[in-house]
Amino acid sequence: MKKKNASIVIVGLVVIFAIVALFVNFANVFKDPSYYTVFTAMFGSNEKQRPVIPVLVVAMCLEILGIIIPFFALPLDKKGQKIVFLTEILVLLGAIVIFFFTPTLYAAANPVRDGGEEARTLELGTGTICTITFACLAVAASFLGFMSARKED
């Protein structure tokens, strides 16, 4: 495969994994089915008086950046691609770490659940786990892009 085609494939993989990581935020946020999606936990709910959690909003913005950043690698030479892929890795790792702490952040913003039970008993749900998993796959694909650009220097 030609060098340019390889970078297109790697950018495509990174973007697809990052898009899936963003869209699985529509799945359940916690194991408890009484909670809604990751977006509901992130942006709050007027009907249940739950506040916006700004740190989770930052994580979502990092995921959106993770979708946009790889496209900058296409017109660049190998040195520029290394910088772009390294930036992509750092941005998505930041999102992964923040999403990993979703139950803690939610408990800090909402100390008491609807039934009077403490929110500290929450566990990661399918939406959060899938977001972390697909972001990790995007990081792995970015690392592959970083190493392929590094190898040809």
Side-chain angles (χ1 to χ4, degrees), residues 17-82:
F17 287 140
I19 287 173
V20 172
L22 182 66
F23 281 110
V24 294
N25 285 327
F26 287 108
N28 290 339
V29 64
F30 302 119
K31 268 189 176 179
D32 186 351
S34 66
Y35 290 92
Y36 302 111
T37 65
V38 178
F39 285 123
T40 306
M42 188 182 310
F43 292 112
S45 171
N46 283 337
E47 51 193 55
K48 294 189 178 184
Q49 284 107 24
R50 293 188 178 141
V52 174
I53 303 174
V55 180
L56 289 178
V57 175
V58 167
M60 187 198 67
C61 292
L62 290 174
E63 281 188 336
I64 292 170
L65 276 174
I67 295 169
I68 297 169
I69 288 174
F71 289 112
F72 293 112
L74 293 176
L76 298 176
D77 61 345
K78 294 299 175 185
K79 188 173 184 176
Q81 286 182 355
K82 283 193 312 187

Side-chain angles (χ1 to χ4, degrees), residues 37-148:
T37 65
V38 178
F39 285 123
T40 306
M42 188 182 310
F43 292 112
S45 171
N46 283 337
E47 51 193 55
K48 294 189 178 184
Q49 284 107 24
R50 293 188 178 141
V52 174
I53 303 174
V55 180
L56 289 178
V57 175
V58 167
M60 187 198 67
C61 292
L62 290 174
E63 281 188 336
I64 292 170
L65 276 174
I67 295 169
I68 297 169
I69 288 174
F71 289 112
F72 293 112
L74 293 176
L76 298 176
D77 61 345
K78 294 299 175 185
K79 188 173 184 176
Q81 286 182 355
K82 283 193 312 187
I83 294 169
V84 168
F85 285 124
L86 186 61
T87 305
E88 174 77 6
I89 290 169
L90 294 175
V91 163
L92 287 176
L93 283 177
I96 290 168
V97 169
I98 293 171
F99 276 116
F100 184 72
F101 289 107
T102 299
T104 307
L105 295 168
Y106 187 84
N110 303 287
V112 178
R113 290 186 359 187
D114 297 332
E117 213 178 304
E118 285 194 26
R120 294 183 183 154
T121 59
L122 297 173
E123 298 175 9
L124 292 175
T126 54
T128 318
I129 291 170
C130 289
T131 297
I132 292 168
T133 303
F134 282 103
C136 284
L137 289 172
V139 166
S142 295
F143 185 72
L144 179 69
F146 175 77
M147 292 306 288
S148 71

